[in-house]
Amino acid sequence: MKTAFPMLRPRVMRAMLAVAAIAAVPVPAFAQDSGDEARLRKLEAEVRALQRKVFPGADGRYFEPQIAPGTQAPSNNGQVMGVIPPATTAVTDILVRLDALEAQLQTLTARSEEQANMLAQMETRLAALETAAAPAPEPAYAAPPAIDRSGAGSTSAVMAATPAQAPASTPVAAPSAERLAAVQAITKPQTGDAGDDEYSYGFRLWNAGFYPEARQQLTDFVEKYPSHSRISFGRNLLGRAFLDDNMPNEAARWFLRNYQADNNGARAADSLLYLARSMIALNDMRKACIALSEFGDTYPLVASGRLADEYKATFDKVTCN
């Protein structure tokens, strides 16, 4: 028995060394990297979701591989033959996928910046269109936008531009039969608001070019309904009926009266601007400049909005210091 033990000892030693060698083999790298792999797959899923939002529908630039690394490949008869081994190592595969993710993120970022730039350009063009919108013509029935700035500046210079007394009503000469028929063809509204009907009928006469008849009608409206909501419209339109009939002196009196009576009135700003036009018609450029300066200081919102074109056209006719 003693002679057998020396022969077994070398074998036992070799077995023990083999066990130790097996125990020393490290755990496979893919088991240690399972957490990183899960995080990478989660990141890829989020990028694909973001792609679907930025690029609606199919996009040929982004597609999934038909056979992913490590998938099973069927044989010709449809039976699984085995697992296709990855062409690269796990680390190389991760680096390639990270490069693809970075490229996709760069593309998404560029597209987002392009869309933001397009939106900013659209907003700029929309603001320009709103600013350049043409002012509405003199309405027959609708009230104009309210003036946001209350009160007016000093009116002493404008008061000196023309006499402040109210003009007397101008008599209308006997019209011809044809003119009388044309005037009678213009109907008077019947809305139940007598004051508004009187003003609207005067507006229709003025709009048709019957200035003397319009002046008579509007004068009756101003005298009968001094507290009506249309009173600022009526006084201003009465001045227009004089100015359009080449009577700037009488027009200036009505424009100044309307502005002084209520500088917050619905057509006070219009009257101040047309007062400047009346002074231009009278060839008094100094007083026209006074009225224009007062208009710009008192009604800056109207000067840059509803009456911007008329203000510029009037200002271009004079040279003010």
Side-chain angles (χ1 to χ4, degrees):
M1 294 296 293
K2 293 183 179 179
T3 58
F5 287 122
M7 297 177 63
L8 293 177
R9 287 177 182 173
R11 296 179 180 177
V12 173
M13 292 298 294
R14 287 196 295 269
M16 293 176 63
L17 291 175
V19 172
I22 293 173
V25 175
V27 179
F30 65 86
Q32 297 178 3
D33 296 338
S34 60
D36 294 338
E37 176 70 16
R39 293 171 59 191
L40 181 59
R41 291 185 181 277
K42 182 172 182 284
L43 179 59
E44 289 176 336
E46 292 176 353
V47 171
R48 285 195 294 270
L50 182 58
Q51 286 177 358
R52 287 193 293 271
K53 292 183 180 180
V54 178
F55 302 100
D59 194 326
R61 291 175 292 178
Y62 304 99
F63 56 89
E64 295 292 337
Q66 294 180 354
I67 299 178
T71 57
Q72 293 179 344
S75 64
N76 294 333
N77 58 8
Q79 297 180 354
V80 177
M81 299 298 297
V83 177
I84 300 176
T88 59
T89 64
V91 175
T92 306
D93 183 64
I94 290 175
L95 293 176
V96 171
R97 290 160 69 182
L98 285 175
D99 290 340
L101 287 175
E102 291 178 354
Q104 293 175 12
L105 286 174
Q106 291 176 358
T107 303
L108 294 174
T109 302
R111 177 60 64 90
S112 299
E113 292 177 353
E114 290 176 1
Q115 293 178 350
N117 186 38
M118 292 174 60
L119 181 60
Q121 292 178 357
M122 292 176 62
E123 292 177 350
T124 302
R125 288 195 297 266
L126 180 60
L129 289 175
E130 291 176 350
T131 303
E138 179 82 15
Y141 306 105
I147 298 174
D148 294 336
R149 176 172 174 170
S150 60
S154 175
T155 60
S156 58
V158 181
M159 291 174 63
T162 187
Q165 66 270 17
S169 59
T170 302
V172 179
S176 63
E178 293 79 8
R179 186 180 183 90
L180 183 59
V183 171
Q184 290 176 347
I186 300 175
T187 60
K188 184 177 182 179
Q190 300 293 332
T191 64
D193 186 339
D196 189 80
D197 293 341
E198 293 291 334
Y199 165 76
S200 299
Y201 184 49
F203 177 86
R204 292 182 180 184
L205 292 170
W206 169 81
N207 195 45
F210 299 118
Y211 300 126
E213 292 82 354
R215 289 195 295 270
Q216 184 179 24
Q217 176 64 30
L218 292 169
T219 300
D220 292 340
F221 164 75
V222 171
E223 292 176 354
K224 292 179 181 178
Y225 304 96
S227 301
H228 196 272
S229 60
R230 293 284 189 182
I231 189 60
S232 182
F233 285 87
R235 289 190 296 249
N236 179 72
L237 191 57
L238 186 53
R240 294 284 300 274
F242 279 107
L243 184 61
D244 294 342
D245 203 18
N246 297 320
M247 303 173 69
N249 191 47
E250 292 81 359
R253 293 194 182 99
W254 276 108
F255 290 138
L256 180 60
R257 177 182 175 182
N258 190 44
Y259 172 70
Q260 289 178 331
D262 183 8
N263 53 37
N264 288 320
R267 279 294 183 264
D270 302 64
S271 292
L272 189 55
L273 181 60
Y274 277 93
L275 174 60
R277 290 194 172 189
S278 300
M279 293 297 102
I280 293 174
L282 293 171
N283 200 28
D284 193 338
M285 302 305 173
R286 184 184 66 84
K287 295 177 182 178
C289 289
I290 293 175
L292 287 172
S293 176
E294 186 79 8
F295 174 80
D297 293 339
T298 307
Y299 307 104
L301 297 180
V302 180
S304 60
R306 180 171 62 86
L307 297 178
D309 291 344
E310 295 185 55
Y311 177 49
K312 182 179 183 303
T314 305
F315 204 89
D316 290 342
K317 296 180 181 179
V318 296
T319 302
C320 300
N321 297 328

